[in-house]
Amino acid sequence: MADKDGIKDAKEFGIGIPQVTEGFHVKGCNHYGWGMKSRLSKIFNPKSGKSLMLAFDHGYFLGPTSGLERLDLKIPSLVDYIDCFMGTRGGMTTCIDPAITANKAIALRVSSGSSILDDDLSNEIVSVDIAEAIRMNADLMATQVYIGAPYQTKSIDNLSKVICAGNTYGIPTMGVVAVGKEMERNAKYFRLATRIIAEVGAQVVKSYYCDDFDSVAASCPVPIVIAGGKKIPEKDALEMCYNAILMGAAGVDMGRNIFQSEDPLAMVQAVRAIVHDGIDSKEAFDMFNELKTK
Ligand code: 5RP
């Protein structure tokens, strides 16, 4: 109903309700610009604050790894249940129809330079520049960071260069914790690695689940998404996913435990239900078993 100033019901204008400018739903990113926040909102669902990224960038150093022999056949079938594609420039441009990326975020792998033929994987370069990331409509750039490895400093320099370029254009960066062969995957190491990546200025960190993961998530001032790591039984992978979310992960950037699953379509839906609907791992495993029979 119009009042004396002709303004309709105050409710419709939110008059008296403070505009939300504080407490952006992505941890530690409240002070970034509009564009950065818009891209982060495509990745992290504003309702759940979480993200399900499907990682299929493995070929950049592993080649046609099991389950990814044909990206064009495997990845599109999962699109309805993911929030974000995480792939390489070549993998996406050759195998992913840009039309299916509508309403999905794009996380672009921008580092490379190592292969499984190397003893040490840490000697990487930034192989995709900011101009290409903009051309690819990237919402996030991902680069590997090797804390404690021979080329640690070079990988941190790569990270910093990607962050600087990304900040210039409002594209967030994800630092990917790469666990060197000698590194022990424990909370102490992950607290160190994730915090270094965040302090260099990454807006997102990808790491791994571990015992005491809550201490890792709590001491990292930006969101952590967890990689799934090597394929494990679906029940265990769903339990890991649930525990990680329970202990503060902002989602997953999972690859092998989805695309190497006996039923990737059932698995991605079960993972999604944990990440966004908050079901527990038992419910998720029941869901997986029910879906795979269909
Ligand atoms: C490869 C990566 C992958 O993106 C990351 O490990 C996630 O994939 P997965 O769940 O299969 O571990 O960084 O280097």
Side-chain angles (χ1 to χ4, degrees):
M1 181 165 82
D3 66 11
K4 63 180 173 41
D5 301 323
I7 293 178
K8 290 196 301 183
D9 186 324
K11 185 164 56 61
E12 287 183 30
F13 287 80
I15 291 170
I17 299 170
Q19 175 125 352
V20 175
T21 52
E22 293 302 316
F24 182 53
H25 68 282
V26 180
K27 182 164 82 163
C29 296
N30 193 48
H31 300 120
Y32 285 109
W34 193 91
M36 178 84 78
K37 285 181 166 181
S38 172
R39 288 187 176 91
L40 287 165
S41 300
K42 286 177 66 181
I43 299 162
F44 294 97
N45 182 300
K47 290 193 180 67
S48 68
K50 305 283 190 305
S51 183
L52 194 173
M53 300 182 192
L54 177 63
F56 54 93
D57 62 322
H58 305 63
Y60 93 94
F61 77 107
L62 285 174
T65 192
S66 166
L68 288 187
E69 296 82 355
R70 286 287 301 272
L71 288 176
D72 58 325
L73 300 180
K74 180 62 67 75
I75 301 307
S77 64
L78 306 171
V79 67
D80 290 344
Y81 304 100
I82 68 172
D83 304 302
C84 181
F85 291 92
M86 198 274 187
T88 61
R89 168 174 51 184
M92 288 202 258
T93 50
T94 57
C95 298
I96 304 296
D97 177 353
I100 71 168
T101 68
N103 309 315
K104 301 294 174 187
I106 293 169
L108 182 62
R109 157 71 59 185
V110 296
S111 70
S112 64
S114 53
S115 83
I116 42 169
L117 301 178
D118 298 317
D119 287 335
D120 167 54
L121 296 174
S122 63
N123 187 10
E124 285 202 349
I125 54 170
V126 177
S127 49
V128 179
D129 68 8
I130 190 69
E132 191 76 299
I134 293 168
R135 268 193 295 274
M136 293 279 300
N137 196 28
D139 298 294
L140 184 70
M141 295 183 289
T143 182
Q144 221 75 348
V145 183
Y146 292 86
I147 302 304
Y151 288 90
Q152 168 187 280
T153 302
K154 188 176 179 199
S155 72
I156 293 175
D157 186 43
N158 291 345
L159 173 69
S160 186
K161 286 189 169 74
V162 172
I163 291 168
C164 292
N167 286 353
T168 303
Y169 295 98
I171 301 179
T173 297
M174 174 163 76
V176 180
V177 173
V179 189
K181 286 179 186 149
E182 304 67 45
M183 298 301 140
E184 201 187 332
R185 292 182 176 214
N186 59 27
K188 185 173 181 210
Y189 175 76
F190 288 131
R191 283 196 298 270
L192 172 70
T194 55
R195 182 59 174 265
I196 289 173
I197 291 171
E199 297 266 7
V200 173
Q203 285 83 16
V204 184
V205 178
K206 171 159 64 167
S207 186
Y208 293 87
Y209 180 71
C210 61
D211 291 342
D212 300 325
F213 179 80
D214 48 354
S215 71
V216 179
S219 58
C220 182
V222 293
I224 296 177
V225 292
I226 63 147
K230 288 188 172 55
K231 176 75 179 65
I232 54 179
E234 280 78 358
K235 183 173 184 295
D236 298 340
L238 291 169
E239 203 162 303
M240 172 180 65
C241 176
Y242 175 69
N243 289 338
I245 297 287
L246 204 61
M247 296 170 89
V252 299
D253 182 10
M254 201 174 263
R256 286 162 287 182
N257 278 284
I258 292 175
F259 60 69
Q260 291 177 353
S261 167
E262 58 178 298
D263 189 323
L265 195 53
M267 188 61 176
V268 74
Q269 293 178 75
V271 170
R272 181 174 189 84
I274 291 174
V275 170
H276 288 303
D277 304 334
I279 71 170
D280 67 28
S281 54
K282 183 188 176 312
E283 292 165 315
F285 190 53
D286 291 345
M287 178 181 185
F288 170 75
N289 285 319
E290 193 184 314
L291 288 170
K292 78 176 183 179
T293 54
K294 286 179 180 165

